[in-house]
Each structure stands twice: as structure tokens, then as C-alpha cells.
Amino acid sequence: MDKLLHEMVDWALSFLLSLVPPALGAIVSLFYEPGLTWSGRAARLWVGVTISYFVGRALGAVADLHPYVLQAIAFLLGLVAYRAAPAFAAGVVKAVGEAPAMLRDRLIGFLPTKKDPK
């Protein structure tokens, strides 16, 4: 059991550490975007991290690059990822902005209503 727990902690730690370069790149890119709302910033950060993480992993699987080079590529991808996919970023920002109202409407739909007597 201890070995399994140790392996799970190692996996989780390596996963979180692999997200650092893309996240830093995405955070740096947010400094160059004035006038964003907090939901827009969060959505752009998510887009930058997600795209750079998966593209960086795919590039690492295809090409035999040094880990430092892969981290630099992930940082750069995080820096420009939301610019490369503006429609995707706009859709995510819209979905994040509309999610609270949509969730509220769905929850209200589950509440019982009074029946009108005829």
C-alpha cells in the first residue's frame, strides 16, 4: 500500500511540475492584455496552459528533445496559445461568462412549483 501511495504522490507531483512552464507563459501573456475581466483572465490562462501542455507533450513524444528545451517550448506556447486560437478562446470566455446563469436556470428548473387551482 505504501508503494502505491508513493507512486501516486510522485505522479501527481510530476504532473503539477509539468504544468509550471505553460502556466508561467500564460501568466506572462496576461500582462500584455489590458482590460480583461477576471473570468476572461481565467479562461485565457486555462486555454494557454491546456494547449501548451498537450502540444508540448506531443512534441516531446515525436522529437527527442532535451527536457529544458521542451519546457521552453511549453512556456512559449503558453505565452501565445490563446492568440493562436482566438475562436476557441472566445468560446471559452463566453462559456465561462454564461455558466453561472445557466447553472442557476437549471437549478431553478428542479424546484417544485405551485399548481394553479382551476
Side-chain angles (χ1 to χ4, degrees), residues 33-44:
E33 289 293 321
L36 288 175
T37 63
W38 282 106
S39 63
R41 289 177 194 268
R44 288 184 182 222

Side-chain angles (χ1 to χ4, degrees), residues 41-93:
R41 289 177 194 268
R44 288 184 182 222
L45 178 66
W46 179 79
V47 168
V49 170
T50 303
I51 290 175
S52 65
Y53 177 79
F54 286 110
V55 172
R57 290 288 182 182
L59 185 62
V62 172
D64 187 26
L65 298 173
H66 191 272
Y68 182 77
V69 174
L70 283 174
Q71 288 180 354
I73 290 171
F75 177 83
L76 290 174
L77 286 170
L79 191 64
V80 298
Y82 69 91
R83 290 265 188 211
F88 182 71
V92 169
V93 169

Side-chain angles (χ1 to χ4, degrees), residues 6 8 23 29 38 50 58 60 74 79 90 96 98 106 113 115 118:
H6 181 62
M8 289 174 56
S29 69
W38 282 106
T50 303
L79 191 64
V96 168
E98 293 175 353
R106 287 192 183 234
T113 59
K115 294 183 179 181
K118 291 187 178 184

